Amino acid sequence: MSDTTSQPTVTSPETEILAALGARLIVLVGMMGAGKSTIGRRLAARLRLQFLDADSEIEAAAGMTIPEIFEVHGEQHFRDGEARVIARLLESGPAVLATGGGSFMREETRRRIGDKAVSIWLKADTDIIMRRVRRRADRPLLQTNDPAATVNRLIAEREPVYQKADLIVASREVPHDKIVDECVGALHARLCGGDSANNSVGATQ
Ligand code: S3P
């Protein structure tokens, strides 16, 4: 007699992503103000993964804030510490890791992320970035006479490199949950089959 009480196995995109991810991390890259920490924290909660924030870990390791590190030791020292901290965090997967906006520019860090993680570029335009960073003085690179021009210059330098991320999701003024849904959809397509030909989600152009 057949077993009529057995239930079909219930899976969700989140469960399938976790199974396919294994020990790898999900790493969010992109400009300051793109929402890497905000979206990363929510994405981690959705997937029931730990959330790691590279900037906070750098500050904890140095016992100083990022503006203090820049002021006392200079940007190069910060970048070297940032690369070391990210290398260490990449050993603690599975997790969601939000990185500082300049970290993906270092080739060695990109290679490590490629080995240990699936990367998502949260792509934001100048207007959104300026709206989000305007009121805060915690980004030393933006303490210039014309922060919008600085952001435009950094976007021009960095976008060709951010483009190398595995996935691209447009960060824009929609509810955070929508961006998280799009990250989940993009991860599912990439890791679990589906439409892997297209790595962009949302209005990224
Ligand atoms: C930087 C971005 C910052 C921080 C530092 C430098 C950058 O992190 O690492 O101020 O070079 O873009 P967020 O991207 O989290 O703001």
Side-chain angles (χ1 to χ4, degrees):
M1 201 167 79
S2 66
D3 178 8
T4 53
T5 62
S6 67
Q7 300 290 317
T9 315
V10 179
T11 64
S12 64
E14 286 85 352
T15 318
E16 290 178 3
I17 289 167
L18 287 177
L21 195 62
R24 283 179 292 173
L25 295 86
I26 297 163
V27 171
L28 299 178
V29 305
M31 281 291 291
M32 313 172 230
K36 296 170 301 234
S37 301
T38 307
I39 298 301
R41 193 170 287 110
R42 285 174 169 76
L43 180 61
R46 173 82 71 88
L47 295 172
R48 297 182 200 280
L49 288 173
Q50 64 170 332
F51 172 68
L52 303 168
D53 189 296
D55 284 346
S56 310
E57 297 280 343
I58 292 161
E59 292 185 327
M64 299 167 104
T65 65
I66 289 175
E68 285 167 351
I69 302 172
F70 269 73
E71 196 182 323
V72 175
H73 299 293
E75 180 172 357
Q76 193 54 48
H77 179 93
F78 169 77
R79 295 296 173 201
D80 293 342
E82 174 177 55
R84 279 196 302 276
V85 166
I86 291 176
R88 167 170 62 76
L89 295 175
L90 287 170
E91 300 302 323
S92 35
V96 176
L97 169 63
T99 58
S103 60
F104 203 60
M105 299 304 287
R106 192 179 273 226
E107 203 266 330
E108 181 193 18
T109 297
R110 282 201 304 281
R111 186 180 45 72
R112 288 199 174 109
I113 291 174
D115 286 347
K116 303 275 183 181
V118 180
S119 51
I120 304 177
W121 172 21
L122 279 187
K123 182 175 179 183
D125 64 24
T126 314
D127 288 354
I128 288 188
I129 291 169
M130 286 313 296
R131 228 172 296 147
R132 292 179 182 165
V133 301
R134 192 174 292 139
R135 282 180 297 277
R136 295 173 53 176
D138 58 355
R139 265 84 173 209
L141 293 183
L142 299 186
Q143 304 312 303
T144 62
N145 289 335
D146 188 350
T150 307
V151 164
N152 278 327
R153 179 180 54 77
L154 290 172
I155 286 179
E157 282 170 18
R158 292 178 175 182
E159 288 208 336
V161 179
Y162 292 151
Q163 188 81 46
K164 298 175 194 254
D166 296 317
L167 298 165
I168 306 171
V169 171
S171 176
R172 55 212 194 276
E173 302 293 17
V174 296
H176 293 139
D177 277 350
K178 178 159 174 55
I179 308 287
V180 173
D181 286 346
E182 291 179 0
C183 290
V184 169
L187 286 163
H188 191 260
R190 171 87 183 189
L191 293 171
C192 312
D195 179 17
S196 55
N198 183 357
N199 73 341
S200 300
V201 183
T204 58
Q205 298 309 311

